Amino acid sequence: MTAIIDLGHYLDERRSEIDAALVAALPRPPLCPANVADAMRYSVTAGGKRLRPILCLASAEAVGGDRRAAMPAACALEFIHTYSLIHDDLPAMDNDTLRRGQPTLHVVAGEGMAILAGDGLLTEAFALMAREPASVDAAVVARKLRVIAIVASGAGAAGMVGGQAIDLASVTHRNGSMPAPLGADDVRDMHARKTGALIRASACAGAVMSGGTDAQVDAIDRAASEFGLAFQIVDDVLDVEGASAELGKTAGKDVAAGKPTYPALYGLERSKQMARACLERATEILSSVSLADSRLVQIGGWIVNRTR
Ligand code: GRG
């Protein structure tokens, strides 16, 4: 019980640090036009669990570093995540009208502005990581470059964008016909890219930026891969069991769209067991580098037990 209360307090504290840093990092006039600044701020400040930046900071702390060094990467990861949600909700993709409990950006600002706000957030993410923390120390510069490469591959065509491309092609062909359903391995690969890659990048970026050893970074990467899978399984379960009001997005959409989900492949109970098994594997991996007592394991528990 204490651990749960402690975790809640920890998450609230990190969330307020992150929220303040995100607002400070958003570009504003006269640097950029007010309309695109407003659109970016609308989606970034609409809420959200801040899972990716929290993971980034928790990894930095787990390896004994100063989490402030990881804050620019943490904000960059939330910018990238927010851009992906804005673009995913567009009529050309999932065509959704509710996100983070608010009307989606294209509903309030139009499709063109939503595309631009997403483009802006993606680009600003890399500008932020390149700029901050400002240092000429060769070790810090080398870590920043490594983090930029990690985030780029998590977000790019080998990662999130690639996963979204598989998802898009799994629903309808361009000629309107239905493609063959994805098998279990394809579903796993799609999710490992679409959701897992940015979660892995988040955890690794924090550990690298704070000077984690290669063994620590490797273990955190493998544990985060389990977290990513658990996150997706739980997301699919919540799509079936959750209510739109609590989720802040439209529940039941995956089933309605005939998407290949874990409950559809394995059933609800087996899916929940699979998510718990991911947490057990992640805990073992983190134990192997003496990180079982870090916040990371508790964050894994939060991912598996979340209700939104
Ligand atoms: C458009 C390139 C591009 C990629 C989109 C993230 C994504 C890829 C699509 C979102 C569709 C979706 C609902 C995926 C399931 C997992 C997921 C990323 C859920 C949303 O993340 P949360 O729950 O959201 O962390 P909050 O709002 O809490 O930050």
Side-chain angles (χ1 to χ4, degrees):
M1 193 61 185
T2 313
I4 294 170
I5 293 167
D6 276 347
L7 179 67
H9 182 68
Y10 172 86
L11 295 175
D12 286 345
E13 251 185 28
R14 292 294 166 275
R15 253 184 224 122
S16 41
E17 285 172 18
I18 290 161
D19 286 348
L22 284 168
V23 169
L26 278 167
R28 53 176 61 80
L31 187 68
C32 70
N35 56 1
V36 73
D38 290 348
M40 288 191 283
R41 188 178 323 102
Y42 175 84
S43 291
V44 168
T45 61
K49 294 178 286 298
R50 309 303 194 207
L51 167 67
R52 294 147 194 84
I54 287 173
L55 252 185
C56 179
L57 299 186
S59 292
E61 293 173 279
V63 302
D66 179 353
R67 70 175 180 278
R68 282 172 302 184
M71 188 57 96
C75 290
L77 285 151
E78 187 65 19
F79 278 3
I80 294 171
H81 169 58
T82 305
Y83 120 74
S84 79
L85 298 178
I86 295 170
H87 282 193
D88 183 65
D89 289 333
L90 286 167
M93 299 235 192
D94 259 14
N95 193 18
D96 220 322
T97 55
L98 183 68
R99 172 69 66 182
R100 294 178 161 173
Q102 316 270 356
T104 46
L105 184 58
H106 67 268
V107 169
V108 296
E111 279 182 55
M113 192 53 72
I115 292 170
L116 290 174
D119 293 342
L121 287 170
L122 174 60
T123 314
E124 289 298 326
F126 285 92
L128 184 59
M129 287 187 288
R131 206 168 52 225
E132 308 283 348
S135 172
V136 287
D137 181 325
V140 174
V141 173
R143 283 177 196 170
K144 273 166 54 166
L145 280 176
R146 198 172 153 204
V147 165
I148 288 169
I150 287 170
V151 174
S153 58
M160 184 178 74
V161 167
Q164 182 76 351
I166 298 171
D167 187 326
L168 200 58
S170 76
V171 187
T172 40
H173 282 312
R174 290 201 64 195
N175 65 11
S177 65
M178 284 301 289
L182 294 181
D185 287 347
D186 297 323
V187 172
R188 194 180 168 118
D189 178 54
M190 174 180 81
H191 290 314
R193 294 177 195 275
K194 187 174 114 171
T195 319
L198 203 63
I199 289 178
R200 276 175 64 195
S202 303
C204 290
V208 168
M209 205 57 226
S210 284
T213 64
D214 287 349
Q216 287 173 326
V217 174
D218 177 64
I220 286 174
D221 185 28
R222 288 185 291 124
S225 174
E226 299 291 347
F227 289 166
L229 178 57
F231 180 89
Q232 186 58 53
I233 295 172
V234 172
D235 213 73
D236 286 355
V237 168
L238 289 175
D239 187 66
V240 178
E241 291 192 330
S244 299
E246 187 171 9
L247 295 174
K249 62 181 181 182
T250 318
K253 272 212 81 177
D254 294 346
V255 173
K259 288 212 174 177
T261 64
Y262 281 91
L265 281 167
Y266 301 101
L268 275 171
E269 281 320 305
R270 173 106 176 83
S271 298
K272 290 178 192 175
Q273 265 171 20
M274 287 167 76
R276 287 194 293 270
C278 291
L279 178 58
E280 280 166 24
R281 286 192 296 272
T283 307
E284 261 175 47
I285 294 166
L286 292 168
S287 301
S288 72
V289 287
S290 309
L291 293 179
D293 290 337
S294 68
R295 288 286 179 186
L296 292 171
V297 172
Q298 290 183 346
I299 291 173
W302 168 46
I303 289 173
V304 171
N305 295 313
R306 72 197 172 97
T307 54
R308 68 177 192 106

